[in-house]
Amino acid sequence: MESKWVLLFLMIFQLGFEIIECSVTYDSKAIVINGERRILISGSIHYTRSTPEMWEDLVKKAKDGGLDVIDTYVFWNVHEPSPGNYNFEGRYDLVKFLKTVKKAGMYVHLRIGPYICAEWNFGGFPVWLKYVPGISFRTDNEPFKSAMKGFTEKIVNLMKSEKMFESQGGPIILSQIENEYGSVGKAYGGAGHNYMTWAANMVVELGTGVPWVMCKQDDAPDPIINTCNGFYCDEFSPNKPYKPTIWTEAWSGWFTEFGGPVYERPVQDLAFSVARFIQKGGSFFNYYMYHGGTNFGRSSGGPFITTSYDYDAPLDEYGLIRQPKYGHLKELHKVIKECELALVSSDPIITSLGSLQQAHVFSPKSQCAAFLSNYDPNNAAKVTFNNVHYTLPPWSISILPDCKNVAFNTAKFIKLSQIGVESTKMEMLWSDSNMFSWETYNEDLNIVDESSIITSMGLLEQINITRDTSDYLWYTTSVDVDSSESFLHGGELPKLLVQSRGHALHVFINGEYSGSSFGTRKHRKVMYKEKINLHGGINKIALLSVAMGLPNMGGHYETWETGVLGPVALYGFDKGKWDLSWVNWSYKVGLKGESMNLISSNPTSSVTWTQDSLITQKQQPLTWHKAYFNAPKGDSPLALDMNSMGKGQAWVNGQSIGRYWTTFASGNCQGCHYAGTYRPLTCQLGCGQPTQRWYHVPRSWLKPKNNLLVIFEELGGDPTKVSLVKRSITSN
């Protein structure tokens, strides 16, 4: 009988232990896991921007780099592409990704959003959401709140059913609702505040057993924890005194835009910003990004965001270690962990060591840790601390885990051999540059399927018609030119004016290419004004409007318009301007090659391709190219060198590697120095070069032989110079 009571006691004890083991709370100092305050180091890795075959390696490298937590958004538009129809397969297998993190013994910060920004198409919202009657995004609006709540509950219930929350023994220790609401919320006034309060109450009712946060929301209602983002997190947004200080986005670099330079952030400054955050009492920080990855398909937003989302992260776009960023941060993490007990057990005592120098000392009874800071961006400083002399490089922080010996300085690299990394240089290596045998098909400019044509008086908004099923929308009309017009008898040719809010525009007159015009992220309106060739009688004007990703941020961005919205007019006629804005227009969604599924090895219609020997050096616009190739040996990451092409999209075995555009970067590339307040303009690289030249081809997409590469070229590039290359690391 006694043994039964002992067994019962042990069972109750074990049950109680498991409950304690799975608890996540917080206090004024830190996130508390299983009753212990923790300094938590996190990194963003987005499952949608890599492949399932890459996940385990990425997570392992993150853990080896000293991270405790993997942070990811949840991407509403890929999971619910149409109302009530869900997709959690392949790159979108969220549960598999989280289980990969759990298997590695790491935690998860799940940023459900559902608004995420992220330079992602439509900020993560599905396009169908725009057409819910009466909807207004991210405000106190019942249609929006209903849809948002439905998706949030879907994700939370999925996580619960898979026992993903730490309260269930899973890896999720934090969840986030909404994202970067700040200035948008202020624009909405009281409706914004009401919405955030509603969102906070909603997630509390979901009962996940883990804390929730809001990023960049100064007045995050209880019990939500406010967090900050940016290159630095020095001026903390107000939190209640019993909430910890959390930095959800320590930007490791910056994203790139077609036509802009590549931005890098020196690791010395990144380490400096993290050390300064910790010395001021911060306890949780997340690198955005730790691995940026690739905007496969048509997923990049903006518009004009590149297919590469490398972000100058510690793990590059292909998942390879970037030195010295990875190694230097790994050493920083190691030293921070050595100070953890002191950091979570006391508040810092701040002492001036000079006009721009300070000491932050954490000294509970059991340990003493000190951070010695030099905020001077130009000069080193000699300081005295605890009767010992120290030299601090400009714009740097020295960390002393024992308040005596410097274990790490943010501006000084230790030898890479000491951190177990030999390879430091990244380069692209050619594989077989003659591996492709090309065939070509010219896009048919004649619209045959009348059932797919929309006609209307006047110009219509592009996304209302395409619903973002294609980047492309044809606007077509006809003009009847009187044979007596002066320009037909030696006079000056007329000009066509087209103003568009699409992101690119290609103009065709009577089936012949007439020219193109492009916008930029800063100047989204496209202007075309060129002389055109018209003949007497009926002339066909066809405008191909191209979208390059939908907006991902801004107040009421669901109302922003895209496409040829006018005016459209002809100038130079004997009777003056001919306004075409309100004539009869025909609309056709997408390309004929898309409807025929030319990206597949089994297209829906028979196509006559031109063999390689007949391909001219200068291709005409709107041309499809295809070639078969065998997978190169080895396991090095692969990419396509698209330097000889113009603009378009590419697919491998039916999978989209994304949009490409060989547009050249403009900027002020004058070198880069770590010291002083960092902004993206500080470190611009690649001026005069294509913003993006190489496009990631995941190894897992390939078969040993007969892989199909399809390219759709809008402008007329040379496919014979396209090459498959290997991404590798070589030793200095």
Side-chain angles (χ1 to χ4, degrees):
M1 188 69 170
E2 183 176 325
S3 62
K4 290 183 179 180
W5 283 108
V6 171
L7 180 60
L8 179 60
F9 173 80
L10 290 175
M11 291 175 63
I12 294 173
F13 177 82
Q14 179 65 26
L15 178 61
F17 178 76
E18 289 178 355
I19 293 172
I20 295 173
E21 184 181 54
C22 296
S23 69
V24 184
T25 58
Y26 60 84
D27 61 19
S28 61
K29 292 294 294 179
I31 299 295
V32 180
I33 302 177
N34 303 331
E36 293 185 5
R37 291 172 173 164
R38 296 289 305 276
I39 298 292
L40 293 170
I41 303 171
S42 175
S44 290
I45 298 176
H46 296 159
Y47 55 101
T48 57
R49 284 172 159 145
S50 54
T51 64
E53 292 77 11
M54 297 171 64
W55 292 344
E56 187 171 350
D57 181 64
L58 293 172
V59 171
K60 181 181 183 302
K61 287 173 179 173
K63 184 176 183 179
D64 291 345
L67 270 58
D68 308 294
V69 183
I70 298 298
D71 168 294
T72 186
Y73 288 125
V74 177
F75 297 77
W76 186 359
N77 61 347
V78 303
H79 292 308
E80 193 178 5
S82 60
N85 296 310
Y86 296 98
N87 180 8
F88 292 95
E89 299 179 354
R91 294 203 320 277
Y92 310 146
D93 193 339
L94 174 60
V95 170
K96 181 177 180 179
F97 178 73
L98 300 187
K99 288 183 176 179
T100 302
V101 177
K102 180 182 178 181
K103 180 182 176 182
M106 300 182 71
Y107 298 119
V108 170
H109 176 204
L110 192 67
R111 304 175 72 179
I112 297 175
Y115 170 75
I116 61 173
C117 186
E119 292 71 58
W120 192 259
N121 199 45
F122 221 36
F125 288 151
V127 173
W128 58 260
L129 191 67
K130 171 182 170 74
Y131 300 101
V132 173
I135 201 162
S136 178
F137 288 1
R138 306 179 73 198
T139 187
D140 192 16
N141 170 266
E142 292 304 323
F144 176 73
K145 290 192 297 184
S146 176
M148 173 192 168
K149 181 179 181 182
F151 180 72
T152 303
E153 289 180 337
K154 173 71 177 181
I155 297 300
V156 169
N157 290 336
L158 175 63
M159 296 300 101
K160 285 182 177 180
S161 68
E162 296 288 343
K163 301 187 184 307
M164 287 288 106
F165 290 106
E166 179 72 8
S167 55
Q168 302 172 295
I172 302 174
I173 59 170
L174 282 177
S175 290
Q176 179 176 302
I177 192 70
E178 256 295 342
N179 187 43
E180 298 186 15
Y181 197 68
S183 59
V184 173
K186 292 176 183 177
Y188 293 143
H193 178 78
N194 292 342
Y195 163 62
M196 296 307 291
T197 301
W198 168 85
N201 292 333
M202 176 191 69
V203 296
V204 170
E205 292 174 0
L206 292 176
T208 62
V210 301
W212 287 76
V213 302
M214 285 182 177
C215 177
K216 204 176 178 181
Q217 178 59 25
D218 292 352
D219 58 348
D222 284 333
I224 308 297
I225 305 170
N226 176 47
T227 74
C228 65
N229 71 356
F231 292 110
Y232 305 96
C233 189
D234 301 325
E235 298 178 1
F236 302 135
S237 299
N239 260 328
K240 297 293 175 61
Y242 52 83
K243 296 180 182 179
T245 301
I246 295 177
W247 190 4
T248 42
E249 292 187 16
W251 296 335
S252 60
W254 200 239
F255 57 85
T256 52
E257 305 162 335
F258 284 115
V262 174
Y263 302 104
E264 292 188 356
R265 186 180 189 185
V267 67
Q268 301 98 314
D269 179 69
L270 181 56
F272 173 82
S273 67
V274 168
R276 186 160 64 171
F277 173 75
I278 294 296
Q279 77 176 7
K280 290 189 175 184
S283 59
F284 180 112
F285 63 91
N286 172 71
Y287 294 108
Y288 190 98
M289 300 290 299
Y290 199 76
H291 166 258
T294 307
N295 291 318
F296 296 113
R298 300 168 50 250
S299 61
S300 62
F304 301 108
I305 301 299
T306 57
T307 296
S308 172
Y309 200 67
D310 181 84
Y311 228 89
D312 195 33
L315 302 179
D316 75 2
E317 178 183 358
Y318 304 87
L320 300 179
I321 288 173
R322 170 175 277 121
Q323 294 290 20
K325 184 164 280 188
Y326 179 90
H328 194 53
L329 295 177
K330 179 177 180 178
E331 288 302 297
L332 171 63
H333 305 155
K334 178 181 176 182
V335 174
I336 288 174
K337 289 297 186 179
E338 291 177 13
C339 304
E340 182 174 28
L341 181 59
L343 295 172
V344 299
S345 303
S346 62
D347 295 320
I349 297 174
I350 305 172
T351 304
S352 175
L353 301 178
S355 60
L356 293 172
Q357 294 77 37
Q358 288 182 335
H360 288 67
V361 181
F362 298 80
S363 55
K365 295 180 180 179
S366 55
Q367 186 184 6
C368 181
F371 291 67
L372 308 184
S373 309
N374 180 15
Y375 301 125
D376 190 326
N378 301 311
N379 303 297
K382 293 183 178 181
V383 301
T384 300
F385 173 72
N386 284 350
N387 298 318
V388 178
H389 300 292
Y390 300 90
T391 299
L392 307 178
W395 199 254
S396 75
I397 297 175
S398 288
I399 303 177
L400 292 62
D402 58 1
C403 285
K404 295 179 182 179
N405 300 295
V406 176
F408 182 87
N409 179 273
T410 58
K412 291 183 177 181
F413 298 133
I414 66 171
K415 293 181 180 179
L416 292 178
S417 60
Q418 291 180 249
I419 57 177
V421 179
E422 298 177 355
S423 302
T424 59
K425 185 179 179 181
M426 307 294 294
E427 63 179 357
M428 300 297 299
L429 299 178
W430 293 94
S431 62
D432 184 358
S433 60
N434 298 313
M435 67 190 312
F436 300 122
S437 179
W438 290 99
E439 298 177 273
T440 292
Y441 169 77
N442 295 326
E443 174 74 10
D444 189 350
L445 301 184
N446 295 311
I447 301 174
V448 178
D449 184 7
E450 297 292 336
S451 64
S452 64
I453 298 174
I454 299 171
T455 60
S456 173
M457 294 295 291
L459 297 163
L460 302 180
E461 198 274 340
Q462 181 167 345
I463 308 304
N464 283 343
I465 301 176
T466 68
R467 300 299 170 106
D468 201 36
T469 57
S470 171
D471 279 359
Y472 304 101
L473 178 65
W474 285 102
Y475 292 71
T476 306
T477 193
S478 297
V479 293
D480 189 356
V481 176
D482 193 294
S483 59
S484 65
E485 285 288 340
S486 299
F487 70 83
L488 296 175
H489 304 281
E492 186 174 354
L493 291 175
K495 285 185 177 181
L496 173 66
L497 167 70
V498 181
Q499 288 193 14
S500 173
R501 294 180 190 173
H503 312 133
L505 179 73
H506 307 305
V507 178
F508 296 83
I509 305 298
N510 295 321
E512 297 293 326
Y513 176 66
S514 183
S516 300
S517 186
F518 308 95
T520 67
R521 187 168 168 84
K522 293 182 179 179
H523 303 286
R524 299 183 181 183
K525 291 185 178 180
V526 175
M527 168 77 77
Y528 178 90
K529 190 173 185 180
E530 300 291 340
K531 293 179 180 179
I532 59 173
N533 285 308
L534 298 177
H535 55 67
I538 302 298
N539 294 261
K540 180 179 177 181
I541 298 175
L543 311 175
L544 182 60
S545 180
V546 187
M548 294 189 65
L550 303 186
N552 64 294
M553 62 182 298
H556 295 295
Y557 72 79
E558 71 275 13
T559 65
W560 297 6
E561 295 181 313
T562 301
V564 180
L565 299 176
V568 177
L570 289 167
Y571 292 84
F573 282 74
D574 292 345
K575 294 183 179 180
K577 183 179 82 169
W578 190 345
D579 191 345
L580 303 178
S581 301
W582 292 100
V583 301
N584 193 55
W585 287 87
S586 298
Y587 300 87
K588 175 71 170 63
V589 176
L591 306 166
K592 190 167 185 179
E594 289 179 311
S595 64
M596 293 190 297
N597 197 27
L598 294 186
I599 66 173
S600 170
S601 57
N602 297 305
T604 57
S605 302
S606 60
V607 173
T608 301
W609 294 83
T610 302
Q611 296 299 314
D612 178 57
S613 59
L614 300 178
I615 296 177
T616 60
Q617 187 71 19
K618 178 64 176 178
Q619 294 297 309
Q620 72 177 51
L622 307 192
T623 303
W624 296 83
H625 306 282
K626 76 171 183 176
Y628 288 91
F629 66 97
N630 297 331
K633 295 180 180 180
D635 57 3
S636 298
L638 302 174
L640 284 175
D641 183 348
M642 302 293 285
N643 199 41
S644 65
M645 302 304 288
K647 180 181 180 298
Q649 298 180 42
W651 299 261
V652 172
N653 292 330
Q655 302 237 47
S656 174
I657 69 168
R659 304 181 182 100
Y660 69 85
W661 188 9
T662 309
T663 182
F664 289 78
S666 61
N668 183 21
C669 299
Q670 300 295 325
C672 181
H673 186 53
Y674 77 88
T677 301
Y678 175 83
R679 292 293 181 265
L681 297 180
T682 305
C683 296
Q684 300 182 54
L685 303 175
C687 296
Q689 301 295 321
T691 300
Q692 184 173 351
R693 175 175 179 175
W694 295 291
Y695 293 80
H696 184 197
V697 179
R699 281 271 184 180
S700 59
W701 290 6
L702 300 183
K703 304 175 293 184
K705 295 183 178 181
N706 295 323
N707 297 284
L708 174 62
L709 168 61
V710 176
I711 296 173
F712 174 68
E713 169 61 40
E714 297 175 21
L715 301 176
D718 182 2
T720 65
K721 295 180 181 177
V722 171
S723 296
L724 192 66
V725 300
K726 294 191 295 185
R727 179 76 158 171
S728 67
I729 305 175
T730 59
S731 300
N732 279 344

